[in-house]
Amino acid sequence: MKARVLSGVQPSGNLHIGNYLGALSNWVRIQHDYESLFCIVDLHAVTVYQKPDELRAQILETAGIFLASGIDPKASAIFVQSSVPGHAELAWMLTCVTPLGWLERMTQFKTKAAAQQTIGDGLLQYPVLMSADILLYQAAIVPVGDDQSQHLELTRDIAQRFNSLYGETFVMPSTNLPSVGARVMGLDDPAVKMSKSAPGSSHAVGLLDSPDRIRKVISRATTDSNPAVDFETMGPGVKNLLGIFQAFGGHTADQMHAQFSGMRYGDLKKQVAEMVITHLEPFQARYRRITSEPGYLESVLKDGADRANAISYGTIDLVKRRMGLYTESPNCIQDPAKAVA
Ligand code: TRP
């Protein structure tokens, strides 16, 4: 049996080249080697207020971007978290074995809470819901960026605690895939990872941005005080631009040296912009085709949710039995003894 991979993305809009090069392109590469599940985590999105119409549109946009990136809906289940009731159900059960102190220690909680006037309980529970996303499918591998590694550690702690209280139930998820993708930094601030929520219009290149906008944003990117590319002394901004070019073009280090040593930054930026545009044009054409077919995205999401639900019933039934909750197992599709790999 193939090992199961699960990852999640918030439908917050503005998916950018960092998401593509760091995550989506990897998922595409590995999707046939594993049983892959890719979840659009709308229940996580509403831990802070979202305008309903915008959220709805962004869920479909995210699904469209998954498909345009090359995630194959026949191989991978693409689905929306709230279409699978098991996520919220398991989250409650896990909440009951999670010490409050573990959640209050989460750095993402502390950062997000500091930005809110009133702190919703959902913000505190966020990592428990994420643990439920993972444990519901007994996922062995969870490809996420560094910023999520504390949440993954917590998932393991919760799984361990549940297993020691109620008996072997959950597979321990491992933190990542052996090969991770390129780490794209902010164009305006190469000290931070490119982010969907960073303020400022010169931070990221969105996957759906027009060629003009791409040229403009890249032309404003932070470089360093050298006049031209010097591989020995370059700063993080120049390194980031070269990294983007290399990740899209698939060039070797030698090719990069030969092409860019001594190049002035204006020319470097033009070449990086054209490389990005060349790759995003066919991507955007696929996106337009996929999203212009009435009902297609919805049918992909329905099929993904059906597959995810079928797996989730087995885990929910097992967890209920372990905890002594009442179950008639109407939905149980597997022998609980076999549910743990
Ligand atoms: N918290 C993740 C993020 O912000 C998104 C996420 C939710 C996720 N559930 C998940 C990632 C499960 C991996 C697995 O990036």
Side-chain angles (χ1 to χ4, degrees):
M1 210 169 85
K2 288 182 185 174
R4 213 170 263 155
V5 168
L6 175 126
S7 199
V9 170
Q10 287 210 34
S12 44
N14 308 324
L15 282 169
H16 50 65
I17 56 172
N19 298 119
Y20 177 77
L21 294 172
L24 293 166
S25 64
N26 275 313
W27 299 358
V28 170
R29 205 162 37 74
I30 56 120
Q31 64 181 336
H32 298 285
D33 302 332
Y34 299 92
E35 181 181 356
S36 309
L37 296 129
F38 300 116
C39 184
I40 299 169
V41 293
D42 57 346
L43 295 173
H44 277 108
V46 295
T47 54
V48 294
Y49 176 79
Q50 304 289 331
K51 292 198 182 96
D53 288 341
E54 284 177 18
L55 179 59
R56 238 186 314 274
Q58 282 164 5
I59 290 168
L60 290 175
E61 182 183 298
T62 306
I65 285 176
F66 281 13
L67 292 170
S69 298
I71 296 177
D72 171 5
K74 291 200 184 65
S76 308
I78 301 172
F79 65 101
V80 180
Q81 188 183 31
S82 66
S83 304
V84 180
H87 290 257
E89 207 176 347
L90 183 59
W92 176 256
M93 296 159 186
L94 298 179
T95 286
C96 296
V97 305
T98 305
L100 186 53
W102 290 5
L103 300 178
E104 288 168 337
R105 268 206 300 279
M106 292 291 111
T107 51
Q108 191 171 302
F109 167 70
K110 288 193 273 188
T111 313
K112 285 190 182 173
Q116 303 291 321
Q117 282 197 324
T118 44
I119 303 161
D121 185 24
L123 218 46
L124 186 67
Q125 300 298 322
Y126 182 109
V128 183
L129 179 60
M130 178 164 161
S131 301
D133 299 341
I134 295 164
L135 300 176
L136 187 60
Y137 303 102
Q138 306 281 15
I141 298 163
V142 183
V144 286
D146 305 341
D147 58 325
Q148 294 298 312
S149 55
Q150 195 185 32
H151 288 160
L152 217 70
E153 248 348 281
L154 181 84
T155 303
R156 296 159 60 83
D157 289 343
I158 292 174
Q160 224 138 35
R161 194 173 156 91
F162 190 99
N163 285 355
S164 70
L165 281 170
Y166 293 111
E168 264 320 287
T169 305
F170 293 118
V171 171
M172 276 312 134
S174 94
T175 24
N176 221 324
L177 290 162
S179 64
V180 292
R183 189 174 155 85
V184 180
M185 311 305 283
L187 292 170
D188 57 346
D189 179 3
V192 301
K193 198 172 137 180
M194 190 176 276
S195 145
K196 287 187 276 185
S197 51
S201 57
S202 302
H203 177 78
V205 174
L207 290 170
L208 302 176
D209 283 354
S210 68
D212 279 352
R213 200 188 117 77
I214 294 170
R215 287 190 191 100
K216 192 143 92 196
V217 170
I218 292 180
S219 76
R220 289 196 195 127
T222 301
T223 51
D224 57 31
S225 55
N226 292 340
V229 177
D230 175 346
F231 280 85
E232 302 300 317
T233 62
M234 66 186 169
V238 175
K239 191 161 178 244
N240 189 39
L241 288 170
L242 291 167
I244 292 168
F245 185 95
Q246 187 173 15
F248 275 115
H251 297 67
T252 64
D254 284 349
Q255 289 169 328
M256 292 299 291
H257 272 263
Q259 185 166 349
F260 290 106
S261 279
M263 186 182 282
R264 302 190 75 80
Y265 291 150
D267 293 330
L268 165 68
K269 287 173 171 179
K270 278 190 197 119
Q271 296 218 15
V272 173
E274 294 318 308
M275 173 61 87
V276 173
I277 291 166
T278 303
H279 278 77
L280 290 191
E281 261 170 1
F283 171 92
Q284 292 178 3
R286 280 196 298 278
Y287 178 84
R288 282 192 296 272
R289 202 170 57 237
I290 288 159
T291 51
S292 64
E293 199 179 317
Y296 176 65
L297 280 178
E298 289 83 351
S299 75
V300 166
L301 293 173
K302 165 82 168 66
D303 177 59
D306 287 347
R307 284 149 72 185
N309 267 306
I311 301 169
S312 77
Y313 296 142
T315 309
I316 292 292
D317 187 72
L318 176 66
V319 171
K320 282 187 168 182
R321 284 166 192 268
R322 290 282 197 261
M323 295 181 86
L325 296 167
Y326 182 71
T327 171
E328 292 174 51
S329 318
N331 293 321
C332 181
I333 50 122
Q334 50 185 268
D335 176 354
K338 292 190 196 132
V340 181

